Amino acid sequence: MRVCLAALLLLAAIGGCAAEADDKRIARLQALARRGGGLIELDAGTFQELLVGKSRPYSVFIVADAKDLRSDPKLRLVPLVSDFKLVAKAFAATNAGKPAAGQAFFARMEFSRAQNLFGRMSIKALPYLARIPPGLAITEGGAVSVPAEEVLSTGGYPWGPERIAEFVGERTGLAVGEVKHAPLISPRLMPLVSLAVLACIVFVGYKLYYAPFMRHQALYAVGALCVYWFSVSGGMFNIIRGVPLVGFDHRKRQAMLFMPGQGQLGAEGFIMGSLYTTVGLSVAALITLVPKIKDSGAQRVAAYAILLVAFMAYRMVTSNHVWKTGMSPHWYLF
Amino acid sequence: MAGPAETAGQTAQHKAYGNVLTGFALLCICVLASSVRLFSVIKYESVIHEFDPYFNYRVTRFLSEKGFYETWDFFDSFTWYPLGRVVGGTMYPGLIFTAGTIWNVLQKLNIPIHVQEVCVFTAPLFSAFCAIATYLFMKEVRGQGAGLASAAIIAVVPSYISRSVAGSYDLEAVAIFALVFVFYLYVKTLNTGSLAWATALFFGYLYMVASWGGYSFIANLLPIHCLACIVFGRVSSRLYIAYAPWVILGALAAANIPVIGFNAVLMSEHMASFFVFGLLHAALAIEYIRDMLPPRAYSAAKKLVLTFGTTALAVVLALVVSYVAASPTFGWTGRSLSLLDPTYASKYIPIIASVSEHQPPSWSSYFTDLHIASLLAPAGLLLCFRPLTDASMFLLLYGVTAVYFSGVMVRLMLVLAPAACCLAGLALSEVTSYLSASLVAAQRAQAGAGDAEKKAKAPSETDGSAAGKKDKAAGSSAAAAAKQAAKKAAKKGGSGGGPLGWVSGPWKPVPKDVAIVGLVLVFLGLSMFYRHSVYVAGEMYSAPSIVLQSRRADGGVKVFDDFREAYAWLSHNTDPDAKVASWWDYGYQTTAMANRTVIVDNNTWNNTHIATVGRAMASPERKAWQIFRSLDVEYVFVVFGGFIGYPSDDINKFLWMVRIGGGVFPEIKEPHYLGADGNYRVDEQAGKALVDSLMYKLSYYRFADCGPMFGAQRGFDRVRNAVIAKQDFELKYFEEVFTSEHWMMRIYRVLDKPNRDARLRNPRRAKLGRRAPSKRRQPSGAPSK
């Protein structure tokens, strides 16, 4: 009987010590999360602190991020992380001062900083958002096998903060509370603000209308050229399809300016648009500038230079076009 | 030195020669424009192309048989069974009445020609007219030289050829001509200020609105031009005569076309013209009052009007803004949003985004479709400013708006093509006239008479292409040009040492060698343009898509005429009242060629009806049978390319059927038709719903039996490059009645009662599974295991 009692006491004491240690750990982690704006940045150190152990008194939600892939418009990593942060903030705000606040942590791991963690968790594709349940044993340096049901399914991506909050609620049973998107202007002020904006536009328009520089034809010439340049560059193509400026060739492991086959890359389009415009501009220069040069020698040099520029730009356009489309026109003469 | 009288006589003679030469050149351009579009007839045959032209052709045939009034009231019971379609009220009649008129005239002249030939050759004929209209337009804007150059470019510009080859009997065939012609009439009215031309403008616009929905581009471009004129203080009585009658009479003209009707005053895209109409009156009124009142009274009146106007405007705006803010979507419709934000449609309206014509073009499309016009157009844009006239401002605005909108969808490239050609023609004519004028000047300098500067002005008149241009630029515009030049020079002055040190006052020719090199380069560039355009016309844009060709190994041509074969079978072997179901793409062709009633066609006005057909195709056999029976369908056909490798077949379009069907009938769910990996596939991992669907069964029925090509596996689909999932099955509710030579069209009869014996013909084969055929196909010399 005594032995039993002693054993129980001992257990309670150990438990108490453990609970105290856990409280300290949670407090440390909460401070860490607050510094990171609600998110804990995972690297070797924080991983040890946050996750390693047979079990933990809290769940950890991890979102995977990769610096190199942030420009990929389909993955939407940047909005994902910011949504995740919103959920973390909402969680912290709802549960502030309650014991629930220490029952879930939100962490982000970035590929370039925590490459080995990606391997240990065997993350092969982004987007990735998962919960590390409290009971999952994690050893130092060992593989972390997250059960399939703890990973948020990629169906219906992009998730949005509501879906993420729902996932958090589902898996932990904790209330996340309302996720607040900060509205820019309150709806009541809307008419007043738009009226003010309109008034400003009218005022600026009026001033512009009477501004002397608005009568300058050069302004409109440049404007027309810019619209032209933008359109023939496929600028709209870039916007509508969300094409990145520069691509990445995975086989050669280097940045790629020109993309073979259909479609285009952003920079490729702008380069070609500039070449188009160069030909036109040099023709215009030949007609408008060259006749004004007084000195015959200078005129000859200028004219030849302009012709050369036009010719080279034309050559580059045609050769790139042949490369892009594979068209090889032939004469129908013979 | 020649006497003044003699010089005048010489000039007149030169002018006469120039005019004759211009006329001859224009004739050549017209012949070229028509003949470059005949590749499709030479390479294939005189046949109507693609899908929509078949509808136009059918209505034209109806017109030639029944006459004008019957066509105007045409109710078509052959389509959209059982709903029918009010054809007279839902079509743009311009093209059809044009071809009908041509046919009638030819009949009156006792030239017996079938109406199909008239339809086939309408587009090449009107592209010649379009070249003339372009010449006239640019002649008004900048003179004969620019006109000829623009006509020479538009005659063969690939973008326009793509829509106007012989047989491409579509609305754009006449509409592009009408578009340019309306621009010509507008600019002519603007230049002359004559009411006669304003009347002509009304008739031209009437023809345009009758021809094409693209008239709304004009309906917005003319207001933009008028607004620009008001803003830059170019308001004149000529502008008023050109613009004001057009607004009122043009709206009436549009309202008279049944398909537009009251949209001409209700839709937002027509609002701009009325708004600017009011603004023009206000501007003219202000001008009138300013002339009438003494300056001080005027400024007082201005202050009064401004104060009251601003207050009233603020109140109205506040009301509008609060109203808009109160509504959930901020009062914007999808249509106006897609105008403001070009990415809107592609994100939120998938049915628009799915059409290949509505994709945004990349840089290479511009060069393919416009070639040298896209390179010279920027120069044309700049040259519009020297001198800036009302007409050249119109061309400038046309070019800028068209190029902007062409960036949003590839289809609008067609509207850009005339603008790019005119701008390029302007640049081309200016550069050739400058270079050849320099040559003439050099010649005269060699002859050793006078200094070069004096002569430089004269030779441009002798140059045929430059005739009449320089004198147009004279007068007020010359001052503007000089000012412009001074500005340009001032800008460059910083880099050129002393201020304006290197600038000579007047025009100075380039040395002879430069002129020769320049002319050679221009000639080479143009040759490349012609080579490219003729090649594109011959190889890319001439396929009628109703007849297909492929090159055989021995260099011969293999013709696939399955579509017409199957349509002919339908027309000869089925009851005239039979209803035929297929996916909507083939509706127009079925009514025109097989002369049978269809359920849905390419005029996709009723989404539910299309979704019903999509649902039937996506359903299992029994349910599809019930749906088709309820629509009185007797025959169903599918287009199948797996046998010969024709990629645009129904299996590849099937996901759209699922999506459109699922949009109305929620029991159709796209994921069920996809494989486990989320991809659309027909092999072992295909989605279960796909394998069960009617489309799969009708496409692959007995396909495995037909024997593989080129030693491929049994049931190998050459389009999807996969062995199909389910190879042997029988149909219970449908019966195969016809399969065309290359299996591209497969026609099935919908049975009255289900087959009682629908088990496999040879049960052994199913049991043997896939081992037997692979054994059988061992090469003869292979060692047996």
Side-chain angles (χ1 to χ4, degrees), chain B residues 756-772:
Chain B
R756 294 179 68 186
D757 183 20
R759 279 172 305 168
L760 278 178
R761 292 179 306 286
N762 182 357
R764 251 187 91 238
R765 176 177 293 144
K767 273 181 200 155
L768 281 172
R770 270 161 217 102
R771 266 177 56 215

Side-chain angles (χ1 to χ4, degrees), chain A residues 194 209 217 228 231 236-237 239-241 264 268 276 280 290-294 299-300 304 314 321 331-332, chain B residues 231 321 346 359-360 363 367-368 374-375 379 403-404 407 484 502-504 508-511 513 528 531 539:
Chain A
S194 31
Y209 183 75
Q217 284 182 356
Y228 189 86
S231 287
M236 277 302 173
F237 183 95
I239 293 175
I240 291 175
R241 294 284 173 80
Q264 67 174 31
E268 173 189 348
Y276 285 3
V290 169
K292 305 260 153 45
I293 301 175
K294 210 192 282 175
Q299 196 189 30
R300 175 176 280 131
Y304 271 127
Y314 176 81
H321 183 253
W331 299 96
Y332 275 89
Chain B
V231 168
V321 165
S346 66
Q359 305 301 325
W363 66 265
F367 197 70
T368 309
S374 67
L375 304 181
V403 80
Y404 174 76
Q484 182 80 5
W502 53 275
V503 173
S504 73
K508 186 167 176 294
V510 281
D513 50 331
M528 289 298 141
R531 185 181 76 150
E539 303 295 320

Side-chain angles (χ1 to χ4, degrees), chain B residues 556-616:
Chain B
V557 174
K558 182 151 178 60
V559 175
F560 299 91
D561 205 358
D562 287 41
F563 292 112
R564 290 195 294 178
E565 185 190 347
Y567 290 131
W569 187 90
L570 273 176
S571 79
H572 288 298
N573 297 287
T574 60
D575 188 83
D577 283 335
K579 280 80 185 167
V580 180
S582 68
W583 188 234
W584 61 262
D585 293 16
Y586 314 104
Y588 279 165
Q589 292 180 349
T590 313
T591 42
M593 281 192 273
N595 205 16
R596 292 293 176 272
T597 307
V598 296
I599 308 298
V600 290
D601 70 18
N602 310 44
N603 178 262
T604 51
W605 66 274
N606 188 326
N607 195 32
T608 312
H609 221 50
I610 293 180
T612 307
V613 174
R615 180 194 186 199

Side-chain angles (χ1 to χ4, degrees), chain B residues 642-664:
Chain B
F643 185 70
I644 53 147
Y646 170 65
S648 44
D649 67 349
D650 277 350
I651 294 281
N652 273 2
K653 290 174 185 169
F654 185 58
L655 274 191
W656 284 110
M657 304 183 202
V658 171
R659 277 173 205 151
I660 293 171
V664 178

Side-chain angles (χ1 to χ4, degrees), chain B residues 569 574 625 633-637 698 731 733-738 747-752:
Chain B
W569 187 90
T574 60
W625 178 71
V633 171
E634 282 166 61
Y635 293 93
V636 181
F637 71 80
L698 298 191
L731 295 173
Y733 301 89
F734 295 84
E735 176 191 40
E736 182 183 11
V737 288
F738 179 78
I747 306 175
Y748 293 83
R749 196 158 67 82
V750 183
L751 294 175
D752 306 343

Side-chain angles (χ1 to χ4, degrees), chain A residues 252-309:
Chain A
K252 288 186 193 159
R253 301 213 144 269
Q254 63 185 22
M256 179 169 67
L257 212 54
F258 277 68
M259 186 178 88
Q262 287 203 319
Q264 67 174 31
L265 290 168
E268 173 189 348
F270 289 125
I271 291 171
M272 295 311 296
S274 310
L275 284 177
Y276 285 3
T277 322
T278 307
V279 177
L281 282 181
S282 34
V283 169
L286 185 68
I287 308 169
T288 53
L289 294 183
V290 169
K292 305 260 153 45
I293 301 175
K294 210 192 282 175
D295 177 41
S296 262
Q299 196 189 30
R300 175 176 280 131
V301 171
Y304 271 127
I306 284 170
L307 284 177
L308 187 73
V309 167

Side-chain angles (χ1 to χ4, degrees), chain B residues 25 36 74 78 99 158 269 317 338 342 349 434 469 487 537 540 557 574-575 628 654 748 769:
Chain B
V36 78
F74 185 17
F78 268 54
E269 59 242 46
L317 276 180
S338 68
I349 317 177
Y434 173 52
K469 189 164 63 249
K487 270 181 227 155
M540 273 172 71
V557 174
T574 60
D575 188 83
F628 281 140
F654 185 58
Y748 293 83

